[in-house]
Amino acid sequence: MIPQPMTQLISLYDIAPIAADVASGELLLTPNQRLASRMSIAYAIFCRDNHHPVVAAPNIKSINQWLASCWQQLLLSAYPQAIAQQLLSSAEQLIIVERIINESEQGQQLLRPRATAQHVVNAYETLQHWLLDRQCAEVQPFFSANDSNDDSQILLQWLAEFDNYCQQKGYLPPIRQHHIVIEAFVAGHLTSHPSIASVALDNPTPLQKQLINSAAKQWREIDNPRPEAQQQLAIGCENSEQEIVVAALWAKQQLKNAINPAKLPTIAIVIPSLGQQRDKVVRIFQEVFCPQFQTPAYQRNNLPFNISAGSPLGDEPIIAASLFALAMNQPQLECEHIINGLLSPFFLLTDDDDNALARLIYLLREQKLALISTARVRQLVEKVGADFFDEEAPWPLLAALLEHSNLARGVGLNKKQPLSDWAVFFKQSLFSLGWPGQRKIDSIEYQALKQWQQLLQDVVSQGAVLGNVTFKQAYDHFKQILAGTVFQAQTVDSPIQILGALEAAGLHFDHLWLSGMSSKEWPAAPAPNPLLPIALQRSYNMPNATAEGELDYARVLTQGFMHSAKTLYVSYAKVIDDNPANVSGLFADYPQCSPEQLLQKSIEQLLPHSEIRRRYFEQKKWQDYQPYKSKALSAEESVKGGSSLFANQAACPFKAFASHRLGLVAMAEPVLGIDHASRGNLLHRALELIWKQLENQQGLLALDAPAQTKLCHDYAEYALNEMNHRMANKMGIRQQAIERDRLSALLSAWLAVERERADFTVVSREERKVFRFSQLELVARVDRVDQLSDGSQVIIDYKTGKSSTNSWWGDRPDQPQLPLYSSLLEQDERQVSAVCFAQVHIEGCELKGVGDEQCPEPNLQWTSNMQSSSGAIDWPQLKQQWQKTLTALAQDFIAGKSVVNPKDKVKSCQYCDLASVCRINHQGSSAAMELSE
């Protein structure tokens, strides 16, 4: 990483031209707190460098900070208008507006009332900022039915209800602070300033102008002119992600090329859509500047760049863990959410719990539920605890969950209580699960935890507005507050600043990079408030209302950027949403440059991936490994599986190795209702029961149509009830009826085929066989074996999907089950005259197979077509081929052959879950050559 004096103050504003104004104590107002803070730091550095012995704190404030300080003075002096009403916080104001919307007739139809409430608050404050009275003759025509839409009429209704509610309760909306402060200045209760200066306050609203004019005899705008950037370039990139990559590599080069390492140049990367792209931007800059960022020992607060955009506090891992712990008080949760929560390091689990936790996660997956009850989770925890822990020292997780549940039961989650009571319960509930964990939290986690605690206190203070609520209402409200609160961790200062367009306005840098400067992105598209009449917004030139207004605003910002750095580079994506794009017209005269020309190397050469790999490999101890050749199967090694082992070895040797020797099994995925495999099991079970009763074809033929229908119906229902009893997510009555009717129809259709067959007797159903094949000891389950009139036997394999006898041919058969079963039965000196698929499908049922020429089953007798497709002269030779093929597959498996070599990459890999292990999708030409060798 680049060495840099991170502990030193860094100036991002040229304060020297206005140092005298700052020293005079004159109030300087800025549009945002970032600029005010940076100006104060710049003044401190200026005074230090010029050896000023005593320095008074500069009177530099953002306009909102100044308003808040004025309001505090009014409260301390007991100004009647200030103490007569309770000032609402922004969150409390939103609660009231959302409640008004929900209680209205129109609000009942909204899918996102919280978002609508935000628009209503924005409209309310916009009208106040523009000093517009909704009832005045000048404004009323814009809201008339002829010139406006229904939304504007509804807005008026909601705003009137909001004002009435606040008046009745004695509440003061935040925006109305301005009017009371203005009155206080006019009345002389607040001391006016001889003069007020503003910096970069380009577009103050009419209300802000009135506020400043009431507070000062003179208001002036300080113009701190700087020369235009000496070097200007436009860089066209392939897409928005490449823009960020190139900007990061360029910034890294500027630091490396710094003449004086003790005084690094200041660099700004300005991204107008930084809020939307924050995660991507942080990831890319970490990859470029901090290859070791993912290592556990890395200090996250030591990143060599600052980013102005924060993230929702609720997204911070330590805070997300608290939300999970509180959500565990609900009757059910998403299974994925529970698994992620259990893996969190912010609870009582330690490394000693890893094996038990892995087993618990496996059992949770095996439930195949998208939603799972918290009671069921506790049952599974108890089951795992019994397997991994002693009775004298049970699994701490079980005790924690029981305490957690008892707390919820004791407080009564459906009882309405004040938010203060729920805040106490929140803390108790979190403490019972050991949050925030036993590990030492880092600086960023500590800051997030402190902000969480402050927010919980703020939520308690909102109790008067929200009233008594249930647990779910309190939890949802707290969760919304956390999602809407921006978390910006305090880190050490850095010469690299990643900023949004507004945050960068007014600051000064050595180098400036503007990203997202395509004609489709800059100026931004208008985004007027959807509830205010568009004609009103255009008439008063309200923000984001028109394309012309956005263009004028972009011009002002662009002019400021052109004079805020010595070098100015702008980048743009040449393709946006699959459509070509050009640089914005505001930079049309800039010389064009490609990323490679700018960086003087290719992007791939500069990205530190190779360095990451080199450092990683240096830390590891490696052992020799021969690709695609595993250790041979030892006599002591047990192998699980049956016919699937041969099928997997034929499909891909690595699949057989990973599945049957390594024991890799894909986690079960949630399903709605029952999946295809379960439906197949239902069919197997129902047919097993039917033939247990009928025993032979004569028993079937003795049934008339109504009796057969009843038989199929009864056993379909029996099989379904049996399965439903075992399922975690029980089927409803309607679903059971649908599945029963479907299965009953399938059974009837199949029995119609059985009636047309030659005479047979069912001699085994779902027979489990433990067998040895070469060195392998395996288990197989044969669906069914029938004895025919000549005493020979036919092996039947039920298939609910499409099937073909072609899957038995060749050295790598797709479905070697029946060839294997044939070999096993003949080892028991049983004469097998045929094998076949019983295709039981809604589109048609039939018997497909192959057998001896003398087989009593006509449809299975040997034919010339079978000879040509199988490559065998007759049935005995085909069985010999199968024996040879199965032996070869078994020997390859025993020898450790595990090459990644799918028989058919499309078919063999389509339903395989091992792609992330075998890396089949990442093998290039070199891997292909190895395979061919």
Side-chain angles (χ1 to χ4, degrees):
M1 196 170 72
I2 300 166
Q4 47 190 279
M6 300 290 287
T7 57
Q8 294 185 8
L9 291 175
I10 297 175
S11 175
L12 297 180
Y13 190 85
D14 184 9
I15 202 76
I18 62 171
D21 297 312
V22 177
S24 69
E26 182 181 20
L27 175 63
L28 270 65
L29 295 180
T30 65
N32 55 63
Q33 184 57 38
R34 177 175 292 273
L35 179 55
S37 175
R38 282 298 176 182
M39 289 180 67
S40 297
I41 292 173
Y43 183 66
I45 295 174
F46 173 83
C47 293
R48 181 199 64 191
D49 293 345
N50 287 275
H51 309 292
H52 293 182
V54 179
V55 180
N59 195 11
I60 305 174
K61 298 176 181 177
S62 70
I63 190 166
N64 288 333
Q65 183 186 20
W66 173 58
L67 176 66
S69 66
C70 292
W71 184 258
Q72 191 65 27
Q73 290 180 47
L74 294 180
L75 292 178
L76 293 174
S77 62
Y79 185 62
Q81 285 82 352
I83 63 175
Q85 296 172 289
Q86 177 186 337
L87 179 65
L88 293 173
S89 66
S90 297
E92 291 170 331
Q93 176 177 250
L94 192 62
I95 291 171
I96 296 172
V97 172
E98 186 175 5
R99 181 188 299 157
I100 290 172
I101 292 173
N102 287 331
E103 292 175 353
S104 67
E105 180 182 351
Q106 298 84 358
Q108 303 293 328
Q109 306 169 15
L110 295 174
L111 297 176
R112 299 175 59 202
R114 172 60 62 112
T116 303
Q118 292 280 11
H119 286 306
V120 171
V121 170
N122 177 265
Y124 181 79
E125 294 185 343
T126 299
L127 291 173
Q128 294 291 324
H129 269 294
W130 262 257
L131 303 175
L132 298 176
D133 184 352
R134 304 188 302 273
Q135 306 301 325
C136 74
E138 182 182 357
V139 175
Q140 191 62 35
F142 290 105
F143 286 94
S144 65
N146 293 330
D147 300 332
S148 183
N149 55 31
D150 293 339
D151 290 343
S152 298
Q153 297 298 315
I154 297 170
L155 173 66
L156 285 180
Q157 174 188 331
W158 288 338
L159 294 183
E161 291 182 23
F162 174 68
D163 280 338
N164 291 337
Y165 184 87
C166 290
Q167 187 174 1
Q168 292 172 9
K169 297 291 185 179
Y171 294 147
L172 181 69
I175 189 64
R176 291 194 176 273
Q177 287 181 94
H178 292 73
H179 301 290
I180 294 178
V181 171
I182 290 170
E183 293 174 6
F185 273 119
V186 172
H189 193 86
L190 287 175
T191 304
S192 60
H193 299 262
S195 67
I196 292 178
S198 60
V199 179
L201 196 62
D202 297 322
N203 293 303
T205 67
L207 181 60
Q208 290 173 334
K209 291 178 182 178
Q210 190 179 75
L211 173 62
I212 297 173
N213 286 324
S214 69
K217 298 176 182 177
Q218 179 187 1
W219 172 25
R220 64 192 182 94
E221 174 70 24
I222 291 183
D223 186 16
N224 190 3
R226 301 187 77 208
E228 189 170 341
Q230 301 169 2
Q231 187 175 4
Q232 300 171 341
L233 281 177
I235 299 95
C237 300
E238 296 301 321
N239 49 52
S240 61
E241 179 155 343
Q242 190 185 73
E243 278 191 84
I244 301 169
V245 171
V246 174
L249 293 172
W250 167 80
K252 188 175 182 180
Q253 284 185 343
Q254 302 311 306
L255 293 186
K256 281 186 174 181
N257 297 335
I259 298 175
N260 182 5
K263 185 175 176 55
L264 297 174
T266 56
I267 302 166
I269 313 295
V270 176
I271 306 173
S273 59
L274 181 59
Q276 292 77 28
Q277 299 192 74
R278 183 188 186 278
D279 291 343
K280 178 169 67 175
V281 171
V282 171
R283 171 180 58 81
I284 291 173
F285 270 77
Q286 286 171 353
E287 290 174 355
V288 170
F289 283 90
C290 318
Q292 70 278 35
F293 179 79
Q294 297 297 336
T295 59
Y298 190 80
Q299 295 296 318
R300 293 192 296 161
N301 59 329
N302 285 340
L303 289 174
F305 56 86
N306 294 148
I307 183 166
S308 66
S311 58
L313 180 60
D315 290 348
E316 283 298 305
I318 190 172
I319 307 304
S322 74
L323 290 175
F324 160 73
L326 294 176
M328 283 293 290
N329 290 297
Q330 298 180 15
Q332 59 181 13
L333 285 177
E334 290 183 11
C335 191
E336 197 69 32
H337 191 190
I338 291 176
I339 291 172
N340 290 338
L342 290 170
L343 292 171
S344 169
F346 301 106
F347 296 113
L348 49 79
L349 296 178
T350 66
D351 293 344
D352 296 335
D353 300 295
D354 284 351
N355 291 334
L357 184 58
R359 180 62 180 169
L360 175 60
I361 291 173
Y362 175 79
L363 292 179
L364 285 169
R365 291 280 194 184
E366 284 299 301
Q367 305 300 302
K368 298 183 180 179
L369 298 175
L371 294 173
I372 187 170
S373 70
T374 48
R376 179 59 177 161
V377 173
R378 289 193 294 273
Q379 291 174 0
L380 295 176
V381 170
E382 185 174 9
K383 176 180 174 62
V384 173
D387 294 338
F388 285 83
F389 295 87
D390 297 331
E391 290 185 9
E392 294 78 13
W395 196 7
L397 179 60
L398 177 59
L401 288 176
L402 289 175
E403 181 185 355
H404 190 266
S405 175
N406 291 334
L407 281 170
R409 193 178 298 110
V411 77
L413 299 181
N414 293 323
K415 183 171 63 175
K416 289 192 173 183
Q417 301 183 97
L419 284 173
S420 57
D421 291 349
W422 286 122
V424 173
F425 171 73
F426 284 0
K427 292 180 179 179
Q428 293 173 340
S429 184
L430 292 171
F431 181 77
S432 69
L433 293 181
W435 185 81
Q438 302 180 28
R439 57 182 280 275
K440 183 180 179 181
I441 60 177
D442 64 22
S443 171
I444 294 178
E445 291 164 350
Y446 175 78
Q447 293 178 57
L449 183 58
K450 295 294 288 184
Q451 191 169 350
W452 180 92
Q453 294 169 339
Q454 181 59 52
L455 273 181
L456 188 59
Q457 294 179 9
D458 295 343
V459 167
V460 170
S461 68
Q462 296 162 12
V465 173
L466 198 60
N468 289 356
V469 293
T470 64
F471 165 77
K472 187 176 187 313
Q473 291 171 325
Y475 170 78
D476 289 344
H477 177 64
F478 190 39
K479 186 177 180 180
Q480 285 181 333
I481 295 294
L482 291 172
T485 301
V486 175
F487 174 66
Q488 183 69 60
Q490 295 180 1
T491 57
V492 291
D493 208 354
S494 168
I496 300 177
Q497 300 287 318
I498 306 172
L499 307 165
L502 295 180
E503 290 88 353
L507 296 176
H508 303 149
F509 311 95
D510 293 316
H511 307 287
L512 177 60
W513 182 291
L514 301 180
S515 178
M517 293 293 120
S518 73
S519 55
K520 295 188 177 184
E521 299 170 288
W522 190 258
N529 188 298
L531 299 179
L532 283 173
I534 188 65
L536 174 70
Q537 297 182 67
R538 288 174 177 167
S539 178
Y540 287 90
N541 195 25
M542 292 179 179
N544 310 121
T546 64
E548 294 81 8
E550 291 300 296
L551 177 58
D552 291 340
Y553 187 56
R555 281 196 179 113
V556 171
L557 288 178
T558 300
Q559 282 298 317
F561 292 144
M562 288 179 177
H563 294 81
S564 63
K566 300 172 185 176
T567 59
L568 173 62
Y569 294 161
V570 301
S571 65
Y572 64 97
K574 293 189 287 188
V575 177
I576 299 177
D577 296 332
D578 296 327
N579 294 314
N582 296 312
V583 69
S584 169
L586 298 175
F587 306 101
D589 57 344
Y590 277 31
Q592 294 281 332
C593 176
S594 70
E596 288 74 17
Q597 291 172 327
L598 174 71
L599 301 173
Q600 298 181 346
K601 284 185 180 180
S602 70
I603 296 174
E604 289 299 322
Q605 286 179 298
L606 293 172
L607 284 174
H609 297 317
S610 58
E611 180 68 10
I612 295 173
R613 286 195 294 269
R614 185 187 66 79
R615 293 183 183 181
Y616 179 80
F617 290 151
E618 281 181 353
Q619 299 171 0
K620 300 298 176 182
K621 293 181 179 179
W622 300 95
Q623 63 182 21
D624 293 335
Y625 170 69
Q626 186 177 356
Y628 312 130
K629 185 72 171 71
S630 306
K631 291 176 63 177
L633 187 71
S634 65
E636 297 78 18
E637 186 176 352
S638 61
V639 174
K640 293 184 178 181
S643 62
S644 61
L645 185 150
F646 295 87
N648 290 335
Q649 186 71 24
C652 177
F654 179 81
K655 184 176 183 180
F657 170 74
S659 301
H660 301 281
R661 293 188 64 184
L662 299 183
L664 300 183
V665 180
M667 290 288 190
E669 294 292 335
V671 294
L672 291 174
I674 58 177
D675 55 18
H676 294 298
S678 298
R679 285 197 175 97
N681 293 335
L682 279 173
L683 179 74
H684 280 67
R685 179 59 174 154
L687 285 171
E688 178 188 3
L689 295 169
I690 285 174
W691 287 112
K692 182 179 181 180
Q693 175 178 328
L694 297 178
E695 295 185 351
N696 52 43
Q697 190 185 45
Q698 296 305 313
L700 173 62
L701 297 177
L703 298 176
D704 57 16
Q708 178 176 310
T709 300
K710 184 178 185 303
L711 180 76
C712 294
H713 179 278
D714 290 347
Y715 282 122
E717 188 164 39
Y718 183 92
L720 270 166
N721 289 336
E722 195 177 55
M723 174 177 285
N724 199 37
H725 179 73
R726 298 193 305 266
M727 290 175 64
N729 190 21
K730 308 296 184 187
M731 289 183 283
I733 297 176
R734 297 255 320 156
Q735 185 182 1
Q736 285 191 68
I738 292 171
E739 293 292 343
R740 180 198 63 216
D741 293 344
R742 182 198 66 83
L743 180 56
S744 180
L746 271 179
L747 293 172
S748 293
W750 173 244
L751 291 183
V753 174
E754 299 269 35
R755 285 176 175 271
E756 302 299 322
R757 289 180 55 197
D759 184 53
F760 63 87
T761 298
V762 179
V763 295
S764 70
R765 306 168 305 277
E766 303 295 332
E767 180 183 2
R768 184 178 183 271
K769 291 185 67 64
V770 179
F771 66 94
R772 291 193 66 86
F773 197 99
S774 187
Q775 188 180 326
L776 302 172
E777 183 172 328
L778 304 171
V779 177
R781 187 178 295 276
V782 183
D783 291 353
R784 179 171 145 196
V785 178
D786 288 357
Q787 184 166 303
L788 304 180
S789 58
D790 65 348
S792 66
Q793 295 182 348
V794 58
I795 305 173
I796 299 175
D797 190 23
Y798 296 126
K799 293 293 181 185
T800 55
K802 299 293 184 181
S803 57
S804 170
T805 56
N806 291 332
S807 61
W808 299 331
W809 316 141
D811 295 334
R812 300 174 69 179
D814 295 331
Q815 299 187 58
Q817 296 96 319
L818 286 172
L820 175 64
Y821 298 160
S822 171
S823 176
L824 296 179
L825 264 64
E826 295 212 331
Q827 287 177 14
D828 294 341
E829 299 182 354
R830 296 159 70 175
Q831 181 186 356
V832 179
S833 61
V835 296
C836 63
F837 289 132
Q839 183 172 297
V840 187
H841 195 270
I842 196 66
E843 294 179 0
C845 299
E846 61 178 318
L847 210 60
K848 295 181 178 179
V850 60
D852 195 2
E853 291 181 0
Q854 307 302 321
C855 178
E857 196 73 60
N859 293 336
L860 304 180
Q861 292 175 353
W862 188 266
T863 65
S864 58
N865 288 336
M866 293 178 183
Q867 179 178 344
S868 60
S869 59
S870 67
I873 298 175
D874 54 16
W875 170 244
Q877 187 181 30
L878 177 61
K879 289 191 287 184
Q880 291 175 5
Q881 286 185 0
W882 283 346
Q883 181 68 28
K884 181 180 178 182
T885 298
L886 293 169
T887 301
L889 292 173
Q891 292 302 325
D892 284 346
F893 179 83
I894 293 169
K897 182 178 180 182
S898 56
V899 60
V900 180
N901 182 21
K903 176 183 176 181
D904 183 314
K905 189 172 181 180
V906 176
K907 293 180 180 179
S908 303
C909 300
Q910 185 175 8
Y911 300 108
C912 179
D913 300 301
L914 299 168
S916 60
V917 183
C918 73
R919 313 294 288 173
I920 185 67
N921 298 322
H922 299 270
Q923 292 184 9
S925 56
S926 60
M929 289 176 62
E930 286 186 36
L931 289 176
S932 64
E933 293 173 0

